[in-house]
Amino acid sequence: MKDKTKFTHIGRPKPGIATPVNLDVTRASTLLFAKSEDLYRTDIRGYGRHGSPLHDALEEAFNELENGAGTSLAPSGFAACTLAILSCVSAGDHLLVTDSIYGPTRNFCENFLKGLGVEAERYDPRIGAEIASFFKPNTIAIITESPGSLTFEIQDLPAIVKAAKTRDLKVIVDNTWSGGISYKPLNMGADISIHAATKYMGGHSDILFGAVISRTKDMAAKVAKTRKFLGYATSPDDAYQILRGFRTLHTRFEAQEKSAVQLADWLKTQSFVETVLHPALDCHPDHGLWKRDFTGGGCLFTVVMKPATTQQINAFIDGLELFGIGFSYGGFESVVIHCDPQLNRKFGDGFAGPLVRFGCGLEDIEDLKADIMQSAAQALNA
Ligand SMILES: Cc1ncc(COP(=O)(O)O)c(C=O)c1O
């Protein structure tokens, strides 16, 4: 069955007589028991922090999304990143982290984990099989993100997984960009796939939510145990909205992905643009890998602008009327940021000009183009 069909049916109550289409939201911290002998049973849920039938249904939706063996939910996408990592490391371990990882995750690995005695080392996202040259006797896991945050490098995941398997290292993928729709890393042998469900699953820029999907039952059990240790819980109302988001996820994703490719393709021909970093464009250096491993794109890409001053770039962004200036993406509305202040790269040759990241919403593409043109004319004399 195709994802689109699965997500209209998964996690819904069995019809009886006049059954609502959707599951009820159960709000509970305390769960009551008729008999005290049941309080400490390990085969049932004993407390609200451990979820609800709605949370179970949502976990199942994430499992279906990526063919996972188990999912743990987290209160934000970033919390899902830290949960996945903390499930794999202990003091004395060495961790390989892609240079292009989401900034707060890099900060967590390089600063917080350091305090716990875990050494994080960066690798070039384009390293592929050469990742093996970074392995140390105490290397425990590799954290990838493909395409990478802000700069959109595609990683050769099959080559990385193959190298990791020779040493039984865990491979963790932050799969937020693809929404799990156009990229299925667990099918390629990765151990964990992470989603900031805040983006496409939420879809309306009003919920923070995350999910950690594991390929095997063993890995899923480890992540679930870590979630319990950390006390992460998610609100049933948010879980309801995320499951609701799954119903229209595919359709929204396809529309936003299509707009992003059209906009990226058009932008690359504009006088104020040096190049566009979107892996679905054939000018992207990793387009071949993207074509091999992905079935589609995502709504987010970065434009390398022709050299311009910071004032000009800020004026260009401020002049946009349809793109909100703000972090995140995957909501119904288009967004934009300039990236240079948060780049923090160790590898690569840098870029010819400033970077501006666009996230496409559900607006009409011609309106988005017209908006960019009017602002570029004012701010960049384009
Ligand atoms: C790739 C990636 N991972 C994780 C996150 C964190 O998600 P959240 O904002 O839900 O904490 C983001 C947010 O932008 C992201 O882009």
Side-chain angles (χ1 to χ4, degrees):
M1 199 188 289
K2 299 268 193 267
D3 282 352
K4 207 172 182 169
T5 315
K6 274 192 231 167
F7 298 139
T8 51
H9 290 274
I10 198 151
R12 288 184 24 205
K14 270 207 164 39
I17 297 172
T19 310
V21 169
N22 295 292
L23 280 173
D24 288 340
V25 178
T26 314
R27 290 189 195 85
S29 51
T30 300
L31 301 174
L32 297 178
F33 296 83
K35 293 185 176 160
S36 69
E37 69 189 30
D38 288 332
L39 268 176
Y40 297 103
R41 276 173 57 179
T42 51
D43 59 328
I44 52 171
R45 219 186 312 267
Y47 190 54
R49 207 167 54 223
H50 303 146
S52 68
L54 187 70
H55 289 88
D56 295 345
L58 180 57
E59 286 171 8
E60 202 39 44
F62 278 107
N63 289 339
E64 286 285 332
L65 178 69
E66 291 226 24
N67 298 320
T71 291
S72 285
L73 304 175
S76 70
F78 181 44
C81 298
T82 58
L83 170 61
I85 296 165
L86 288 170
S87 303
C88 294
V89 301
S90 5
D93 286 339
H94 171 248
L95 189 63
L96 288 168
V97 184
T98 179
D99 200 29
S100 56
I101 199 76
Y102 175 59
T105 306
R106 180 192 308 119
N107 188 29
F108 173 82
C109 292
E110 293 185 345
N111 295 303
F112 186 82
L113 287 185
K114 192 174 174 192
L116 300 185
V118 176
E119 182 204 356
E121 184 177 3
R122 296 197 205 182
Y123 68 88
D124 183 338
R126 296 201 161 104
I127 197 162
E130 293 299 308
I131 188 95
S133 65
F134 280 76
F135 293 170
K136 293 184 179 178
N138 60 340
T139 305
I140 194 81
I142 304 168
I143 306 175
T144 75
E145 184 184 325
S146 190
S149 271
L150 310 174
T151 46
F152 296 89
E153 300 86 350
I154 299 289
Q155 305 209 11
D156 189 344
L157 187 64
I160 290 175
V161 166
K162 193 171 170 205
K165 289 223 186 302
T166 64
R167 297 279 299 274
D168 202 22
L169 310 184
K170 299 298 175 216
V171 177
I172 302 172
V173 181
D174 184 331
N175 192 21
T176 298
W177 184 80
S178 84
I181 289 174
S182 57
Y183 193 46
K184 310 274 186 188
L186 301 187
N187 289 352
M188 288 183 242
D191 298 280
I192 288 178
S193 178
I194 300 167
H195 285 278
T198 306
K199 321 297 177 199
Y200 301 108
M201 287 94 187
H204 296 73
S205 308
D206 51 3
I207 300 171
L208 289 160
F209 212 88
V212 179
I213 314 170
S214 300
R215 183 171 52 80
T216 64
K217 288 249 177 260
D218 271 4
M219 192 72 243
K222 266 192 194 163
V223 178
K225 197 170 159 190
T226 309
R227 188 195 68 78
K228 277 194 175 179
F229 274 135
L230 294 172
Y232 281 3
T234 55
S235 116
D237 294 285
D238 287 350
Y240 182 89
Q241 293 296 347
I242 296 294
L243 187 56
R244 195 179 201 255
F246 263 94
R247 309 299 181 206
T248 54
L249 172 64
H250 218 282
T251 305
R252 286 184 287 106
F253 182 88
E254 273 177 357
Q256 289 175 246
E257 170 202 24
K258 192 171 155 206
S259 285
V261 173
Q262 283 179 11
L263 197 64
D265 209 31
W266 171 79
L267 272 162
K268 88 175 183 223
T269 64
Q270 301 307 305
S271 62
F272 54 91
V273 169
E274 181 70 34
T275 189
V276 178
L277 308 175
H278 189 312
L281 301 192
D282 53 15
C283 62
H284 189 280
D286 306 322
H287 181 64
L289 278 181
W290 173 81
K291 247 172 122 171
R292 187 192 70 185
D293 294 345
F294 287 67
T295 55
C299 75
L300 193 73
F301 63 91
T302 288
V303 171
V304 181
M305 306 288 281
K306 287 259 165 69
T309 64
T310 306
Q311 285 92 327
Q312 281 175 310
I313 295 299
N314 282 337
F316 167 61
I317 290 175
D318 292 350
L320 294 168
E321 287 168 6
L322 297 179
F323 292 82
I325 305 171
F327 297 108
S328 202
Y329 62 96
F332 57 84
E333 84 296 6
S334 291
V335 284
V336 65
I337 55 167
H338 60 297
C339 307
D340 297 83
Q342 52 164 321
L343 254 190
N344 187 355
R345 291 290 190 269
K346 185 174 167 195
F347 297 97
D349 302 326
F351 295 94
L355 304 188
V356 176
R357 191 186 76 174
F358 290 92
C360 275
L362 292 167
E363 301 90 341
D364 187 278
I365 182 75
E366 295 309 324
D367 289 335
L368 294 180
K369 285 182 191 172
D371 190 30
I372 291 173
M373 280 319 288
Q374 66 76 22
S375 189
Q378 294 277 332
L380 308 170
N381 301 318

